[in-house]
Amino acid sequence: MARAIALGRYGAMEAGAGGPFGAVVVKNGEIIGEGYNRVISGRDPTRHGEMEAIRAACQTLDSHLLEGCVLYTSAECCPMCAAAAWWARIEHIFYAADIADTKTYGGFDDSEIYAELRRPHAERHLPVTQICRAEALEVWKEFQASPTRVHY
């Protein structure tokens, strides 16, 4: 956790890359991926510390799966990072600052995102509309039937 917090400090206070969010992925007691928030410097809203650490760990293991790995993050995961950890099959997340801390000390407020995800599609502030389902299903059915398809 000390490394995750140090990465967050570096990214925010020295590099000016984004907020003070740092993360490391550990497997068998060894850091296999690390990152810090680069949203501002990278001009990319997905470059959170956790996402950077997950990407680096996947490269290290040459796999999209991080089974047997643990994520240490300087602040509680946002919905995007929590989902990425879930999809990567990370087995445990440890965090330092919580969601209320990031709002109080940094002005980071994801409460609207959490509320939005609980609403039905028709009630969301960001409109969500399904189109071209039949065309997309043709590809999905082809994928389902493929003997060489990639399994997640």
Side-chain angles (χ1 to χ4, degrees):
M1 182 61 80
R3 179 66 179 155
I5 293 169
L7 285 164
R9 177 187 303 281
Y10 172 78
M13 307 307 292
E14 294 179 44
F21 301 98
V24 297
V25 175
V26 174
K27 184 165 187 164
N28 300 324
E30 180 182 335
I31 294 175
I32 61 166
E34 63 181 32
Y36 57 87
N37 185 294
R38 296 172 190 243
V39 168
I40 302 302
S41 65
R43 296 173 184 81
D44 180 347
T46 68
R47 294 201 62 188
H48 290 195
E50 298 94 332
M51 301 294 284
E52 297 284 311
I54 289 169
R55 288 179 184 128
C58 287
Q59 292 297 310
T60 297
L61 296 182
D62 195 25
S63 175
H64 65 285
L65 297 176
L66 298 177
E67 294 165 323
C69 294
V70 175
L71 174 65
Y72 292 87
T73 177
S74 64
E76 192 170 358
C77 291
C78 73
M80 175 183 67
C81 295
W86 180 270
W87 287 326
R89 309 294 192 270
I90 286 176
E91 72 177 34
H92 198 116
I93 299 171
F94 291 94
Y95 66 93
D98 63 28
I99 292 168
D101 296 329
T102 63
K103 181 178 180 181
T104 298
Y105 299 107
F108 295 95
D109 186 3
D110 293 336
S111 62
E112 280 191 54
I113 298 171
Y114 288 107
E116 187 80 359
L117 292 173
R118 289 189 293 273
R119 290 185 183 104
H121 288 185
E123 296 175 18
R124 293 184 181 178
H125 292 102
L126 177 60
V128 178
T129 306
Q130 185 176 32
I131 62 172
C132 300
R133 181 172 183 255
E135 295 85 346
L137 286 181
E138 289 177 23
V139 176
W140 278 105
K141 289 174 182 177
E142 183 181 342
F143 177 75
Q144 180 184 39
S146 173
T148 60
R149 84 178 211 202
V150 175
H151 291 273
Y152 288 63

